[in-house]
Amino acid sequence: MPIAINPEHVDLADSVRSLVSRVAPSEVLHEALETPLQNPPPYWKAAADQGLPGLHLAETVGGQGFGILELAIVLAEFGYGAVPGPFVPSAIASALISAHDPEAEQLAGLASGEVIAAYAIDSGLTATRQGDSLVIRGEVRAVPAAAQASVLVLPVAIESGEEWVVFDADQLEVEPVQSLDPLRPVAHVRANAVEIADDRVLGNLTRPMARALITTLLAAESVGVARWATDTAAAYAKIREQFGRPIGQFQAIKHKCAQMAAETERATAAVWDAARAIDEVRENSSADQAFEFAAAVAATLAPAAVQHCAQDCIQVHGGIGFTWEHDTNVYYRRALVLAASFGRVADYAQLVVDTATTTGMRSLNIDLDPETEKLRAEIRAEVAGLKAIPREERTVAIAEGGWVQPHLPKPWGRASNPIEQIIIAQEFASGKVKRPAMGIAAWIIPSIVAYGTDEQQQRFLPPTFRGEMIWCQLFSEPGAGSDLASLTTKATKVDGGWRITGQKIWTTGAHFSQWGALLARTDPSAPKHGGITYFLLDMKSEGVQVQPLRELTGNAMFNTVFIDDVFVPDEMVLGEVNRGWEVSRNTLTNERVSIGSSEPPGMASLDGFVDFLRDGQFDQIEQNEAGRLIAEGHAAKILNMRSTLLTLAGGDPMPAAAISKLLSMKTGQGYAEFAVSSFGTDAAVGDPGQLTGKWDDMLLYSRATTIYGGTTEVQLNIIAERLLGLPRDP
């Protein structure tokens, strides 16, 4: 999925993608591998005519007045096309100058495309003061597009710290050198006692902002390359046959492609948020300064994503992917040069952990259109009214008002659209008014609303919304976990109802639930997903035996439920007989918007992990690993936010939601693994009253998180088949 979410950004991405496909087809890329690039390249005028060089620059200098987010969208599309030449370096350089002064004199030529610029992220340049000028000496190595640029923006060490300075190319000695990626030329640059006036020093450009701009925009191009690699690998896996079938049916290939998609999506989310964070500060200097953290997260994840995905793309293609003629050659070279362009990647993971444990992580909030403020005021007033009600009456009022699951139709919900759902969640949180927790019932209620009779709805929904009726879900069986349609619990029709016999397992909370949602096979001769009926089971029924299933942690959250010739009356069938699979899938189609964390109770959380780091002492290697885990955890939260915003924009939130579940569970395991490994021999002390025991428990519990709700392997299959379109295994 690209960076763009809202319709305007999608249109921008589509427009740039169309341009890139015209001006940089595969044959142009391969020709550029063999022959020196023209300067400017043939596509330069077309890009300038479309206003792309000045997209992010002020209208007063001939630009379009958009922000860094829009520029990131453009650069990601240039990355997807592996566009040759200096466009990306020039765009980054102009962004640096604009951050100092949006009306700087150099920007007019950059906005029109008449001037090409280059930049460096690190250098060996130093300056000494001589009268009203700085005298600069030293060397900057491997500067992208330096030989093609007439203006270079380079960092210089001066007495007050590091400053970025604007040089004219003829002031410098530029030595072109062979680039690992011939489509992105590099050169060494030397300054031999170059005198620079103070007005060429970008004094308003701070070091944190400069590095945030450079790394965020590099990360944008990187995720474009990673997305190309993922799409291309998946496309090849659909058509390449081995052993008489497409290789995309082989689970090893399927999972590799799905992992590529997940890593790309996570990095894309981080880039999107980093660009937004920079724009927030550029628009309002008093805004949250967490842009540095957001950019460090993107710079931690994007270089790894682009390199891994380009490598795996070659692996999926096999021998053909190792040939000079294949496009994988072009993109792998670009990936390697991009990864190198960030400098020391470990520095970004270190910045992530340092920032998280001191000034804190970036807050993630969904900003809604100002036109929604009238609705917000109304909801805020109603929430305040609820808060004024005595506690013992408040729960009833919340339930009867449809506040528990507001996306449901009236009278059970408020028929709230996605925007209203977000406002309700925000106002209940800010007003500190707690809504009844539904637990497993949250998955069952929508099915009762959609398929239940009036009698079923009146009997079950009000007490459930009040938190008085606890539910469990009797779906999984010893032989039917991920493959639920293989269930064998049998229901036989008798006078007035059904006799049901079978066994359910992994049933959360069955030992304290009053009712259960039960799937049983009512027609053994029907196709696999047919002949299943959805029942509402009284857990006190004769023949129901609940046996707590003590898990690895020593606790018993799960249960085995034995159902021995249990009678269930006809009025407890939900929906139509033999149509239970349809009923069970209903919850997935409900337009419910979640803005919360995906971290389940009992699992190590991102905030808890940061608190642990804040209180401990760790070596450099451990801190870098911790920074990577924090970056991954923060990006998982961004994925949740993007899923919500996609819903608001009328898009499909499934890619972000499915990948978020996969990645957040794995990262949660990583928090606990890191903590326990840092204890050394003390990790053997399992006393839950001690810090070691607390983390031991979370580590033990974490093994369940990549199993329940669909194992990691099943999630990878879902991503590969539903998101990437790889063929199912017959």
Side-chain angles (χ1 to χ4, degrees):
M1 188 172 63
I3 297 173
I5 291 179
N6 67 42
E8 294 80 9
H9 286 165
V10 171
D11 288 345
L12 172 62
D14 289 345
S15 173
V16 177
R17 192 176 306 124
S18 176
L19 169 70
V20 168
S21 65
R22 293 197 311 273
V23 302
S26 177
E27 55 269 24
V28 169
L29 302 182
H30 285 277
E31 182 181 348
L33 286 175
E34 305 285 0
T35 58
L37 289 167
Q38 297 180 37
N39 192 41
Y43 68 80
W44 199 264
K45 184 178 186 304
D49 289 345
Q50 202 162 311
L52 298 183
L55 181 81
H56 56 297
L57 302 178
E59 294 180 12
T60 53
V61 297
Q64 297 193 51
F66 290 103
I68 296 302
L69 177 56
E70 287 77 13
L71 179 58
I73 291 168
V74 171
L75 298 193
E77 295 302 330
F78 270 64
Y80 195 91
V83 178
F87 184 89
V88 174
S90 188
I92 294 175
S94 66
L96 293 171
I97 297 172
S98 178
H100 161 72
D101 179 4
E103 298 186 359
E105 61 176 344
Q106 300 95 342
L107 293 176
L110 288 165
S112 67
E114 296 173 8
V115 174
I116 294 174
Y119 77 95
I121 191 169
D122 293 307
S123 81
L125 299 181
T126 59
T128 56
R129 173 65 61 180
Q130 184 173 311
D132 294 333
S133 301
L134 292 173
V135 178
I136 299 175
R137 297 177 173 84
E139 181 183 53
V140 193
R141 297 182 65 80
V143 179
Q148 291 74 46
S150 56
V151 172
L152 291 90
V153 183
L154 307 175
V156 178
I158 62 176
E159 293 179 1
S160 58
E162 186 178 60
E163 300 279 7
W164 266 258
V165 175
V166 179
F167 295 86
D168 292 328
D170 57 13
Q171 296 176 287
L172 302 165
E173 177 187 329
V174 179
E175 178 195 357
V177 293
Q178 183 173 335
S179 175
L180 176 59
D181 175 10
L183 277 62
R184 178 64 52 80
V186 297
H188 299 328
V189 176
R190 300 179 187 90
N192 298 312
V194 175
E195 289 192 25
I196 292 290
D198 286 343
D199 62 359
R200 285 298 189 100
V201 178
L202 306 182
N204 295 328
L205 175 64
T206 66
R207 184 177 188 274
M209 177 55 76
R211 290 184 174 272
L213 279 167
I214 293 170
T215 55
T216 297
L217 295 174
L218 281 174
E221 186 183 11
S222 297
V223 298
V225 174
R227 187 161 55 88
W228 177 90
T230 302
D231 290 349
T232 303
Y236 185 74
K238 295 174 190 176
I239 61 172
R240 171 62 170 165
E241 291 193 358
Q242 288 285 285
F243 306 106
R245 55 180 178 150
I247 63 172
Q249 287 184 346
F250 302 145
Q251 185 160 282
I253 299 295
K254 196 170 290 187
H255 287 188
K256 185 176 289 293
C257 291
Q259 291 282 17
M260 292 168 67
E263 193 168 4
T264 300
E265 184 69 13
R266 179 169 60 194
T268 299
V271 172
W272 171 80
D273 187 57
R276 290 170 65 245
I278 293 172
D279 281 339
E280 288 167 10
V281 174
R282 283 158 55 93
E283 294 167 6
N284 179 7
S285 59
S286 63
D288 184 359
Q289 296 294 305
F291 71 88
E292 193 174 8
F293 173 81
V297 168
T300 299
L301 300 176
V306 69
Q307 191 161 333
H308 294 165
C309 290
Q311 290 166 343
D312 285 344
C313 183
I314 294 172
Q315 187 70 24
V316 170
H317 280 81
I320 191 68
F322 190 65
T323 61
W324 179 266
E325 289 77 12
H326 200 280
D327 288 351
T328 52
N329 168 39
V330 174
Y331 283 86
Y332 188 41
R333 289 173 177 274
R334 177 62 54 84
L336 293 175
V337 167
L338 278 171
S341 298
F342 285 85
R344 283 174 45 87
V345 175
D347 291 345
Y348 303 111
Q350 186 66 53
L351 180 56
V352 168
V353 73
D354 288 345
T355 307
T357 54
T358 53
T359 57
M361 295 174 285
R362 170 169 156 80
S363 299
L364 297 176
N365 297 304
I366 295 177
D367 297 323
L368 301 177
D369 193 297
E371 295 178 1
T372 65
E373 287 307 307
K374 181 176 182 294
L375 175 61
R376 182 181 295 279
E378 294 171 356
I379 292 172
R380 181 173 296 166
E382 291 197 65
V383 172
L386 291 167
K387 190 171 184 177
I389 298 174
R391 188 180 299 273
E392 59 273 12
E393 301 173 17
R394 188 185 305 157
T395 299
V396 175
I398 291 173
E400 292 180 349
W403 298 104
V404 180
Q405 292 197 323
H407 65 290
L408 294 174
K410 297 178 180 180
W412 312 117
R414 301 176 65 84
S416 298
N417 62 29
I419 290 176
E420 185 174 349
Q421 291 174 53
I422 290 173
I423 294 173
I424 289 171
Q426 290 175 337
E427 291 304 316
F428 269 85
S430 62
K432 294 181 169 55
V433 177
K434 190 175 181 180
R435 293 182 284 178
M438 293 293 96
I440 297 295
W443 304 346
I444 299 169
I445 287 169
S447 294
I448 297 178
V449 170
Y451 293 94
T453 63
D454 289 343
E455 181 181 353
Q456 288 172 337
Q457 292 174 354
Q458 294 297 332
R459 177 175 179 178
F460 294 113
L461 294 177
T464 301
F465 285 131
R466 294 193 297 268
E468 299 166 358
M469 184 176 287
I470 309 300
W471 289 79
C472 62
Q473 185 172 267
L474 299 158
F475 284 11
S476 294
E477 297 181 4
S482 298
D483 184 14
L484 183 58
S486 295
L487 63 87
T488 59
T489 294
K490 182 180 180 181
T492 303
K493 188 71 180 79
V494 296
D495 188 25
W498 301 79
R499 287 285 178 184
I500 304 179
T501 297
Q503 179 184 346
K504 299 293 181 176
I505 200 168
W506 316 121
T507 308
T508 304
H511 50 309
F512 54 74
S513 296
Q514 292 105 341
W515 285 84
L518 168 70
L519 291 182
R521 190 163 298 284
T522 45
D523 183 359
S525 64
K528 187 174 181 179
H529 290 83
I532 294 173
T533 300
Y534 194 121
F535 295 93
L536 304 177
L537 175 67
D538 185 344
M539 296 297 289
K540 298 187 298 296
S541 300
E542 184 178 352
V544 175
Q545 179 187 351
V546 178
Q547 179 177 306
L549 183 62
R550 196 176 185 194
E551 60 254 20
L552 185 147
T553 62
N555 300 319
M557 176 178 67
F558 303 120
N559 300 267
T560 300
V561 180
F562 298 95
I563 304 166
D564 185 12
D565 197 32
V566 174
F567 177 75
V568 177
D570 284 328
E571 56 266 28
M572 290 299 104
V573 171
L574 186 64
E576 298 180 29
V577 172
N578 294 329
R579 300 285 295 274
W581 189 258
E582 175 185 325
V583 179
S584 71
R585 303 292 292 178
N586 169 260
T587 301
L588 300 178
T589 64
N590 276 264
E591 192 182 6
R592 183 184 185 188
V593 175
S594 170
I595 62 173
S597 167
S598 60
E599 296 164 343
M603 184 175 178
S605 69
L606 176 56
D607 289 340
F609 181 60
V610 171
D611 288 342
F612 171 77
L613 296 169
R614 192 179 289 119
D615 296 335
Q617 297 291 326
F618 306 96
D619 63 29
Q620 193 71 54
I621 294 174
E622 289 173 325
Q623 290 183 58
N624 288 338
E625 172 65 11
R628 182 186 62 79
L629 287 169
I630 293 171
E632 291 178 357
H634 184 72
K637 291 178 178 288
I638 301 170
L639 281 169
N640 288 337
M641 175 185 275
R642 278 170 61 86
S643 178
T644 299
L645 291 173
L646 278 167
T647 302
L648 297 181
D652 179 9
M654 182 185 173
I659 290 171
S660 177
K661 195 275 181 188
L662 174 76
L663 295 177
S664 59
M665 297 300 102
K666 185 65 176 175
T667 301
Q669 291 175 339
Y671 301 150
E673 290 166 0
F674 177 96
V676 171
S677 69
S678 72
F679 293 137
T681 56
D682 278 356
V685 179
D687 182 355
Q690 302 291 322
L691 181 64
T692 56
K694 171 188 171 184
W695 282 96
D696 283 342
D697 283 350
M698 285 191 283
L699 178 58
L700 292 172
Y701 176 77
S702 73
R703 300 321 308 167
T705 62
T706 48
I707 298 173
Y708 65 60
T711 66
T712 294
E713 291 71 25
V714 169
Q715 292 295 321
L716 289 170
N717 283 347
I718 291 171
I719 292 168
E721 293 169 4
R722 298 186 187 176
L723 274 60
L724 299 179
L726 294 183
R728 293 176 179 271
D729 193 4

